[in-house]
Amino acid sequence: MHKKIRYSIMCGLTAATVVLSPVTASFAHSLEHDLTDEIHIEIGSEGPEVLALKEALILLGYELDQENDYFDEETEEIVKLLQELNELEITGTVDEEFFLFILNEVEQLIEDASADDENEPVGEASENNSENSLEDANQQEGINEKEATPSEESTEQEQALHDDAAENQEPAQETSEENSPEELLEEATEQTSVQALADDVLQQGDRDPRVIDLKIHLEIMGFKVSNTPNEYFGPVTTTKVKEFQGAYNLEVTGKADAITLSTLSELANGPLQQGMYRADAVDLKINLEKIGYAVSSNPNTYFGPITARQLKAFQSAYGLTADGIVNTETLITLQYAVDNRLSLGMNDPRVIDLKVQLEIVGFRVSNNPNGNYGPITAAKVSEFQAEYGLRVTGIADPLTQDRLNELATVPLEQGMYRADVVDLKINLEKIGYAVSSNPTTYYGPMTASQVRAFQSAYGLTADGIADKETIEKLQDAVANRLYLGINDTRVIDLKKNLEVLGFQVSSNPNGNYGPITESMVKEFQANYGLRVTGIADPLTQNRLDELANGPLQQGMYRADVVDLKLKLAKAGYGVSTNPTIFFGSMTASQVRAFQENYGLPVTGIADQPTLQKLQEVIAASSKTFFIEGKTSFGHGVGMTQNGAYGMAQQGKTYEEILTYYYTGVTVGTDSRYTDGEIRVGLTLETPSVTVSNTSLYSVEDRETGEVLLSNATTSTEISYDEGTFTIKIGNKTVTTENGVKLSGGTFLYKNNRYKGDFHFVPSHSNFEMMDVVNYVDVETYLQGVVPYEMYVSWGEIEAFKAQAIASRTYAWRNINSFRSRTFDVYDSVRSQVYNGIPQGLYNNSIVNQAIVETKDIVIKYGNTLIDAVYSASASGHTVNSEDVWPNSVPYLRGKPDPYDQSSYTRVSWDYTFDLNDLSNMAAFKGNGKGRIIDLEFQTRNDRLYGVTVIFENGMETMTASAFRSAVGTTNLRSTIMTITEVNNQK
């Protein structure tokens, strides 16, 4: 059934009302529309019926956007409110019946307004005065206030007219003859306002700037007075104040007293909540929409129930008190969520991580994730949110990101798809728990099974979950495994251990893990109940090491089996005259016999109690020697550089250092040893060399002084062949049969720089070759010696001074000492290390200062320069010259060196042996003198120089070197030692 209704809505002002009336020619606006039984207006509806509905709602006092014909969320909220007020079903939609209901309400409003016009009170003022008064009231209060209904506006206007009329009827005695009615009205209004200010109460009739704030606050709280609030407190304001007071349980007076004003201000300026109209409600709705809690596509200032509902949902999701009130905590949390969200259209590096983590948990976006948040990403985020009970928005808000990160980084377990599953499978395979030859990101039942097997083998909880402990244990196993194809020094120990237990790989084990090693590992694993993989994982290695290094027993091949057999022989339980490393049945039999005779458990295993008892039996009749030895660094004669450093650290002077290490010497200057030149052999017996210079230099005939080439600037090539020197500089070539001399500037030779002259002369030891000799001032020479002989990092100037004086003395002593040679000293440790001009760190200011401050100072014994030899360390005690060289020198005497704190002063090896051990050594055995019954050691300065070996039938005197060879240089690693006789123990 169709009904055709023609109606019009006119918004026009009369003296007292806003009218909705039937169609006539004078109406300002009209609308015609067909209504059917099927009319249904809801969110998203649009058209003329929506526009008509909005205009009707506006006339009923509701604020709406009248510029469009779209039924939005704001309109829906008002429809729901109207349904609730009239106790109708709250649907938020409008059908034909409810639409007609609304029109009837508007029609009733018109009738009420008409009745008010007819009953308008008439005072003593004239009709013209009444109209003027009404116009004034309208200007004061604002007749276009959308919050008030038409009936409320009419009433307020009539009341204003009535009030104006009453105010114009002031008593005659209060008014001077000159006052007009208008002046009387203004005076009365001012008096009323002054009184209100004095009482701090705003009430009807007042004019006060605070009234503007009052009206604004009332509007915020949903009690709107006017679109253009002014300072006048009119009847509409009174009505709205009463409504506010009633709503908030205040005394209903219509007067804005201090309590009312304070309560209103506190609420209006407090946190946003339902019912408010405030600008920041727009920002709130926008931000809520950004993180998936949309309120309206066209957000306004009204804080309605939908806004409250969405806010509560946000608060609940983010762990806040879900009260729908926008407190500080809610605002901060909301802003954080907005700032940290990722959403459609964004391009952000964080999106890459988001996509990676989505793929990890099974929601793959792309093979090559980038920072673009596109529709596929949004769809996958929505799928993830749905899967894990999150709000499905397609927006990666912080809650979504946190949950995703939590799931993507949790321990791997069955059912997951994650990139690190591939690494897990690869590592499992590396230690013999293969899953697949083509590992994927899927963590399936096979992977879980292999993880459980690994966990069980390594003593972990076998739950199939690759937690942190499992991953770390797996990575450790992979890092420490040995496997086919690897070449590692640890493989040598592996092979030795396998051999000890009877699984020999090679007689000469190396670091290569080949097929035979793999096969032997498999046999060992099978024999001892391990997982048979051929891979020597940590479990295999540990078990192998435990067995191979455990108590000796039958079947083993181990070096200490020889020692066991020798000890058994000493104790009277001989196994073989030629003991081997194999622990066979005969050895086991003798061990059992020994154990039985000495009351030990008879096992045939050479455990610790058995070995200890065996030792006790042997020691009862054996002399034992314990040797502690040190390694050497230098000949140990004269000053030690480490000792000089230690003395300097203790505050000793260079003179105290030198007189300590060189016995009976004096330290001072001597006019015979100043401003000298030394010849340093740089290269000996060479056919040709190349020398360059940093400035101009000349080439001379060494014998005649003739300048062969002058002002040379490039490299010089000098060769010597059949008695002729050939010099080439660029395109110039000259020859001479005499030696060659280069002088001037600084020479660059073999990456070193040198001062002084370069001489090229026939070699003294091979006349077919030439020697390269640097002629340089002694003090300059020292600059190239001291920093290379003593660590510049030591930084002890007194030590550097001692070194400079020793080196200077050594240099002067060797000048012209070897007439047959073309040079005085070598540039190496054969004399002193010399590298020319010190470079880099070696160019040290403290070293240079030490050389300058000790200029011309030398060391003498009597009136003769000493041979100032020195070495890095004497291992705690220097030695006599005759202990190293043929001659005994009075000032080169051995003495303790407690100042040397280097590693060479500490014991670095030890060795223990008894006379039975020596008697059984090849060097002493079979010489016809019987067993060794004693030893006599010749030692001094903590060194061994000779040994007298006493046999049953005679004796033999041996040098320290010969004794070391007999006992074994791996046992006695040097002759620097202390020897202690230890009775009854070894």
Side-chain angles (χ1 to χ4, degrees):
M1 169 183 180
H2 293 269
K3 297 180 180 178
K4 186 163 185 177
I5 299 176
R6 182 173 174 82
Y7 60 88
S8 76
I9 302 171
M10 182 189 76
C11 300
L13 297 176
T14 66
T17 188
V18 178
V19 181
L20 177 67
S21 63
V23 177
T24 68
S26 62
F27 288 161
H29 175 70
S30 65
L31 173 68
E32 182 174 291
H33 180 68
D34 288 333
L35 296 178
T36 71
D37 291 335
E38 291 79 18
I39 187 170
H40 186 78
I41 303 174
E42 60 183 357
I43 288 287
S45 298
E46 54 186 349
E49 71 273 16
V50 176
L51 188 61
L53 173 67
K54 284 188 173 183
E55 293 190 36
L57 290 171
I58 290 170
L59 288 175
L60 289 175
Y62 297 100
E63 182 179 3
L64 279 171
D65 181 6
Q66 197 176 355
E67 295 181 359
N68 62 63
D69 60 355
Y70 182 72
F71 190 94
D72 54 15
E73 183 189 65
E74 183 182 20
T75 310
E76 182 189 53
E77 290 290 332
I78 292 173
V79 168
K80 287 181 178 180
L81 182 61
L82 189 60
Q83 289 169 332
E84 183 179 3
L85 291 174
N86 290 276
E87 298 183 353
L88 301 173
E89 181 183 0
I90 301 173
T91 63
T93 61
V94 180
D95 56 11
E96 177 191 10
E97 182 179 357
F98 188 50
F99 192 92
L100 292 176
F101 173 81
I102 294 172
L103 293 181
N104 288 335
E105 288 292 305
V106 174
E107 184 178 358
Q108 184 62 47
L109 185 63
I110 294 171
E111 293 175 1
D112 292 344
S114 299
D116 287 342
D117 285 342
E118 292 172 1
N119 298 319
E120 183 178 348
V122 179
E124 295 182 8
S126 66
E127 185 180 21
N128 185 53
N129 287 341
S130 297
E131 290 174 357
N132 290 338
S133 298
L134 177 58
E135 185 176 357
D136 291 340
N138 286 340
Q139 291 173 353
Q140 293 163 353
E141 188 65 34
I143 64 172
N144 291 322
E145 296 168 347
K146 295 182 180 180
E147 285 295 323
T149 63
S151 60
E152 288 172 336
E153 291 182 1
S154 298
T155 303
E156 186 164 347
Q157 291 162 2
E158 291 170 3
Q159 186 60 46
L161 180 62
H162 180 271
D163 291 342
D164 286 345
E167 287 171 354
N168 286 333
Q169 295 179 11
E170 293 287 338
Q173 64 269 26
E174 297 291 333
T175 307
S176 65
E177 294 179 359
E178 290 80 7
N179 288 345
S180 66
E182 291 79 4
E183 291 171 337
L184 290 173
L185 176 61
E186 182 177 355
E187 181 180 355
T189 302
E190 289 176 354
Q191 291 174 355
T192 302
S193 298
V194 168
Q195 183 62 39
L197 285 170
D199 296 339
D200 198 26
V201 174
L202 297 174
Q203 55 188 319
Q204 187 168 323
D206 287 347
R207 285 184 182 274
D208 191 309
R210 293 177 297 164
V211 175
I212 296 174
D213 291 334
L214 172 68
K215 292 178 179 179
I216 291 171
H217 289 166
L218 284 168
E219 181 177 356
I220 287 172
M221 298 307 297
F223 302 92
K224 185 172 181 178
V225 176
S226 168
N227 285 333
T228 56
N230 55 30
E231 298 180 357
Y232 180 65
F233 194 120
V236 175
T237 307
T238 300
T239 300
K240 295 301 177 182
V241 168
K242 285 181 179 180
E243 291 178 10
F244 170 75
Q245 290 170 330
Y248 288 92
N249 298 320
L250 302 175
E251 183 181 359
V252 180
T253 64
K255 298 178 181 180
D257 56 12
I259 294 176
T260 300
L261 289 172
S262 173
T263 303
L264 180 59
S265 176
E266 181 181 348
L267 290 169
N269 292 301
L272 273 172
Q273 51 189 297
Q274 187 171 344
M276 284 187 172
Y277 291 80
R278 211 162 77 187
D280 49 348
V282 176
D283 292 334
L284 174 68
K285 294 176 182 180
I286 291 172
N287 280 343
L288 284 169
E289 183 174 6
K290 285 179 179 179
I291 58 168
Y293 296 82
V295 175
S296 168
S297 60
N298 184 27
N300 55 31
T301 61
Y302 177 56
F303 192 119
I306 293 181
T307 305
R309 184 169 64 249
Q310 293 292 68
L311 180 62
K312 287 178 182 178
F314 166 77
Q315 289 172 324
S316 177
Y318 280 81
L320 306 173
T321 302
D323 54 10
I325 298 173
V326 189
N327 54 30
T328 301
E329 185 180 11
T330 297
L331 277 177
I332 292 173
T333 305
L334 178 59
Q335 192 60 52
Y336 170 80
V338 169
D339 292 344
N340 290 278
R341 80 196 190 284
L342 297 171
S343 56
L344 187 64
M346 279 189 173
N347 197 302
D348 191 303
R350 295 175 299 161
V351 177
I352 298 174
D353 294 332
L354 177 76
K355 292 177 178 179
V356 169
Q357 291 190 338
L358 281 168
E359 182 173 358
I360 285 173
V361 296
F363 299 89
R364 184 177 185 181
V365 177
S366 167
N367 288 332
N368 186 27
N370 56 28
N372 183 44
Y373 198 115
I376 297 177
T377 306
K380 293 299 176 181
V381 168
S382 294
E383 290 178 23
F384 170 77
Q385 290 168 330
E387 177 72 18
Y388 289 96
L390 301 172
R391 188 180 184 91
V392 180
T393 63
I395 298 168
D397 63 340
L399 288 181
T400 300
Q401 293 179 49
D402 290 346
R403 182 63 173 142
L404 178 58
N405 182 66
E406 176 188 348
L407 291 169
T409 57
V410 296
L412 287 168
E413 57 182 294
Q414 187 170 338
M416 283 187 173
Y417 289 83
R418 234 165 66 181
D420 47 349
V421 174
V422 175
D423 292 334
L424 175 69
K425 292 177 179 179
I426 291 172
N427 281 341
L428 284 168
E429 183 174 4
K430 285 179 179 179
I431 58 167
Y433 296 82
V435 177
S436 168
S437 59
N438 184 28
T440 66
T441 60
Y442 176 58
Y443 194 116
M446 177 62 75
T447 306
S449 175
Q450 294 293 65
V451 168
R452 280 193 294 271
F454 168 78
Q455 290 170 326
S456 177
Y458 280 80
L460 305 173
T461 302
D463 54 12
I465 298 173
D467 56 13
K468 181 180 179 182
E469 186 180 11
T470 300
I471 293 296
E472 288 177 352
K473 181 68 74 174
L474 177 60
Q475 290 172 343
D476 178 72
V478 169
N480 290 285
R481 80 198 191 285
L482 298 171
Y483 53 93
L484 184 64
I486 197 172
N487 196 302
D488 192 304
T489 54
R490 295 175 297 161
V491 177
I492 298 174
D493 293 330
L494 176 76
K495 292 178 178 179
K496 288 179 179 179
N497 285 342
L498 284 167
E499 183 176 357
V500 165
L501 295 171
F503 302 92
Q504 185 177 15
V505 177
S506 168
S507 58
N508 184 27
N510 57 28
N512 182 44
Y513 197 114
I516 297 176
T517 307
E518 183 184 49
S519 176
M520 290 294 106
V521 168
K522 286 182 177 179
E523 288 185 26
F524 169 77
Q525 289 169 330
N527 200 52
Y528 287 93
L530 299 172
R531 187 181 184 93
V532 180
T533 62
I535 299 168
D537 63 344
L539 287 181
T540 300
Q541 293 178 52
N542 292 340
R543 182 64 173 141
L544 182 59
D545 186 66
E546 175 188 345
L547 291 168
N549 294 291
L552 286 168
Q553 52 190 294
Q554 188 170 341
M556 283 187 172
Y557 292 80
R558 211 162 78 183
D560 50 349
V561 174
V562 174
D563 187 55
L564 173 66
K565 292 177 178 179
L566 291 174
K567 289 179 179 178
L568 285 168
K570 289 178 182 179
Y573 299 84
V575 176
S576 169
T577 57
N578 185 28
T580 66
I581 62 172
F582 178 58
F583 194 120
S585 57
M586 179 61 74
T587 307
S589 175
Q590 292 294 70
V591 169
R592 283 194 293 271
F594 175 81
Q595 290 170 331
E596 183 176 4
N597 288 338
Y598 286 93
L600 300 171
V602 181
T603 62
I605 298 173
D607 55 13
Q608 187 58 37
T610 300
L611 293 177
Q612 183 176 346
K613 177 57 71 173
L614 184 59
Q615 187 63 44
E616 291 173 0
V617 172
I618 296 171
S621 60
S622 177
K623 183 182 286 189
T624 301
F625 297 92
F626 176 65
I627 298 178
E628 290 182 311
K630 303 173 184 177
T631 54
S632 62
F633 189 17
H635 49 65
V637 181
M639 182 182 75
T640 66
Q641 292 161 313
N642 278 286
Y645 172 52
M647 291 186 73
Q649 285 184 307
Q650 295 186 22
K652 305 294 184 182
T653 66
Y654 67 85
E655 186 172 6
E656 291 174 309
I657 294 170
L658 294 171
T659 55
Y660 178 80
Y661 288 105
Y662 303 109
T663 305
V665 300
T666 59
V667 180
T669 59
D670 189 319
S671 60
R672 293 175 295 173
Y673 308 112
T674 60
D675 302 323
E677 187 177 66
I678 189 168
R679 303 173 302 164
V680 186
L682 302 181
T683 302
L684 307 179
E685 299 181 21
T686 181
S688 63
V689 295
T690 300
V691 181
S692 60
N693 202 307
T694 59
S695 58
L696 296 177
Y697 62 99
S698 63
V699 181
E700 302 173 15
D701 185 301
R702 187 171 179 272
E703 298 296 331
T704 66
E706 177 187 0
V707 176
L708 303 175
L709 292 169
S710 61
N711 296 328
T713 58
T714 59
S715 298
T716 300
E717 297 179 15
I718 301 175
S719 60
Y720 182 66
D721 183 38
E722 296 183 354
T724 300
F725 291 88
T726 303
I727 304 100
K728 292 183 180 180
I729 302 179
N731 295 326
K732 296 180 181 179
T733 301
V734 295
T735 62
T736 179
E737 293 181 357
N738 300 320
V740 179
K741 173 184 174 183
L742 272 60
S743 61
T746 300
F747 292 97
L748 177 62
Y749 180 64
K750 291 186 176 180
N751 297 323
N752 288 332
R753 297 181 181 275
Y754 297 88
K755 293 182 180 179
D757 299 332
F758 267 54
H759 290 245
F760 304 87
V761 296
S763 176
H764 72 284
S765 57
N766 184 351
F767 292 106
E768 293 181 1
M769 297 289 180
M770 66 177 177
D771 292 342
V772 181
V773 184
N774 181 205
Y775 282 53
V776 64
D777 175 75
V778 170
E779 297 302 310
T780 302
Y781 165 72
L782 293 178
Q783 293 175 6
V785 171
V786 177
Y788 294 97
E789 281 287 359
M790 183 172 278
Y791 293 117
V792 296
S793 60
W794 284 352
E796 289 291 342
I797 190 167
E798 292 302 313
F800 294 148
K801 287 180 178 180
Q803 180 67 55
I805 295 168
S807 294
R808 182 183 294 112
T809 303
Y810 184 91
W812 274 108
R813 182 181 172 86
N814 284 278
I815 291 176
N816 297 323
S817 294
F818 304 95
R819 293 292 181 181
S820 63
R821 294 194 321 204
T822 60
F823 58 95
D824 300 318
V825 293
Y826 295 91
D827 67 345
S828 65
V829 293
R830 294 179 66 180
S831 296
Q832 300 184 117
V833 174
Y834 168 64
N835 286 318
I837 301 172
Q839 303 296 316
L841 295 176
Y842 296 98
N843 186 13
N844 184 276
S845 60
I846 301 177
V847 172
N848 294 332
Q849 178 185 351
I851 296 170
V852 171
E853 291 182 0
T854 61
K855 186 177 184 299
D856 300 333
I857 297 176
V858 293
I859 313 167
K860 296 188 296 183
Y861 184 79
N863 197 36
T864 305
L865 290 176
I866 72 168
D867 189 7
V869 293
Y870 53 87
S871 61
S873 174
S875 303
H877 204 294
T878 65
V879 299
N880 300 334
S881 60
E882 65 270 23
D883 294 332
V884 179
W885 301 300
N887 298 327
S888 175
V889 180
Y891 52 83
L892 297 177
R893 299 291 89 193
K895 59 181 59 180
D897 192 6
Y899 306 104
D900 183 351
Q901 297 298 311
S902 69
S903 61
Y904 302 102
T905 64
R906 295 188 284 275
V907 172
S908 58
W909 61 271
D910 61 58
Y911 180 61
T912 302
F913 64 93
D914 61 22
L915 299 181
N916 285 325
D917 295 332
L918 292 184
S919 296
N920 290 320
M921 290 182 180
F924 304 106
K925 196 173 183 180
N927 60 5
K929 296 179 181 178
R931 298 183 66 81
I932 299 173
I933 60 174
D934 206 356
L935 296 172
E936 292 178 358
F937 299 98
Q938 289 82 54
T939 63
R940 64 179 174 273
N941 299 330
D942 292 342
R943 284 155 173 81
L944 177 67
Y945 291 99
V947 181
T948 299
V949 183
I950 303 172
F951 295 89
E952 292 175 331
N953 302 303
M955 64 178 60
E956 182 180 345
T957 299
M958 308 174 70
T959 65
S961 177
F963 185 74
R964 282 187 65 217
S965 296
V967 176
T969 55
T970 57
N971 296 324
L972 302 179
R973 300 178 191 175
S974 73
T975 59
I976 306 173
M977 63 178 70
T978 57
I979 306 169
T980 305
E981 182 180 332
V982 183
N983 292 322
N984 299 324
Q985 56 179 316
K986 181 178 177 180

